[in-house]
Amino acid sequence: MKESKISRALAEELVSNSGFKTFESKSHSLLFFNENYISSLFSERFDVGADYEQFEQAFRIVTNGVGNEIAKINSVISSSLLLLLVFYKLFNNISDEISLHLTLNERNYIFTQTLFEVRNKVIGYPSCVDVVLNATDGTLLFLESKFTEYLDRRKPYEKYGSGYCSLYNNLKDVFQAAGLSVKTYDDSLVLEANGGEQYIDGIKQSISHLIGLVQGPQQSNDEIYEDVYKEYLSLYQSAPRLIYGTVLFDPTQILPEADKAFNDYKRRYENAIGNNGERIVSEIKTRFKSEYNPVIEVLPTPITYQQMLNDDEAYKEKIPDRVLKFYQL
């Protein structure tokens, strides 16, 4: 995916004060490493240190997902790398000294474990949620991470498979709240942006993730994912509730000109997903058969990386200084 001018400007701004040497891809995107990049290069650059083995295992899972993340994680503005560097401390966490405290829907949670790229049943291909946090009471928080997608992937329309038509027809007003018109045909679903281009896929992706949360974990023959699936299935089946949300990188303090696009996507997401979570889940449960009947909550507004880390300084201190400095967190 070619970067937009504003996304390229953000990447250059991040690099400018870091002292990092970078490279350009064939499409002129900024990359961390020229070739043969592996987890050890990232762990060295971001000073992972003694946590190398923990980081390397998490890296393998993140880059093994169905979204071809191995080809994307080398980008300076890789969303998957950002979430990996922020959350890997909770991967295979065996120490009570490391935890992330969040207040969600007026409840206080202590998250002590993370899983990456969990797969749930949707239509055809599974949905892969970027990160799942497990709380001490068994609550699972599913977060979809966004870095610059709403800057780079703005389109006048997106086309999807016909399997979504029935659900989306019943949710037309939900999409209208995000400035999207739903057009359904025998062989496809089309979401059209009203009045120009916007990042449509982020809204649709959240609907797919919620379908996945209703239908449950998707098994896979993938050897790397096998252990993740077993652990995730156990956690899913015993969870008192599942919470879905999105976590955004707020670029506005680094690059003020990104303010409009950031706040536009945040507002559209809140209008469509955040304000209608209970209804969307109810419609999904009506139309998709499932052996489970999970309690699902949807966060009314996105979390930002900045807000999350500033609200828990103790967890923030566990993240390597190079990570915090590079992303200006």
Side-chain angles (χ1 to χ4, degrees), residues 119-259:
R119 305 176 190 181
N120 290 313
K121 303 170 187 174
V122 187
I123 299 172
Y125 292 106
S127 81
C128 291
V129 184
D130 289 329
V131 64
V132 177
L133 302 176
N134 180 30
T136 51
D137 73 342
T139 293
L140 296 181
L141 171 62
F142 297 75
L143 290 175
E144 180 64 26
S145 173
K146 301 297 179 191
F147 196 167
T148 64
E149 288 86 346
Y150 53 85
L151 299 174
D152 299 333
R153 303 181 189 181
R154 298 169 64 88
K155 295 182 180 180
Y157 69 90
E158 291 276 11
K159 188 175 181 180
Y160 305 102
S162 60
Y164 295 96
C165 288
S166 174
L167 175 65
Y168 278 49
N169 270 328
N170 274 46
L171 295 173
K172 282 186 175 181
D173 59 319
V174 169
F175 288 98
Q176 189 63 43
L180 296 171
S181 294
V182 177
K183 311 288 186 182
T184 57
Y185 306 95
D186 290 340
D187 62 343
S188 64
L189 162 76
V190 176
L191 294 180
E192 293 182 356
N194 301 330
E197 298 183 340
Q198 64 163 291
Y199 177 45
I200 300 171
D201 207 40
I203 305 297
K204 181 267 176 184
Q205 191 176 42
S206 287
I207 300 292
S208 294
H209 285 326
L210 289 170
I211 295 173
L213 263 63
V214 169
Q215 296 199 114
Q218 170 74 63
Q219 193 165 11
S220 171
N221 294 325
D222 187 331
E223 184 178 349
I224 292 177
Y225 185 69
E226 186 176 355
D227 288 339
V228 177
Y229 168 75
K230 291 177 181 177
E231 184 173 15
Y232 171 47
L233 178 63
S234 175
L235 293 174
Y236 176 94
Q237 290 175 328
S238 61
R241 71 183 60 83
L242 313 177
I243 303 177
Y244 176 77
T246 190
V247 56
L248 306 177
F249 181 85
D250 182 351
T252 56
Q253 296 301 310
I254 302 172
L255 202 69
E257 56 263 45
D259 178 78

Side-chain angles (χ1 to χ4, degrees), residues 298-311:
V298 178
L299 298 182
T301 189
I303 298 170
T304 67
Y305 281 98
Q306 288 85 347
Q307 165 204 335
M308 178 180 66
L309 295 179
N310 287 336
D311 286 348

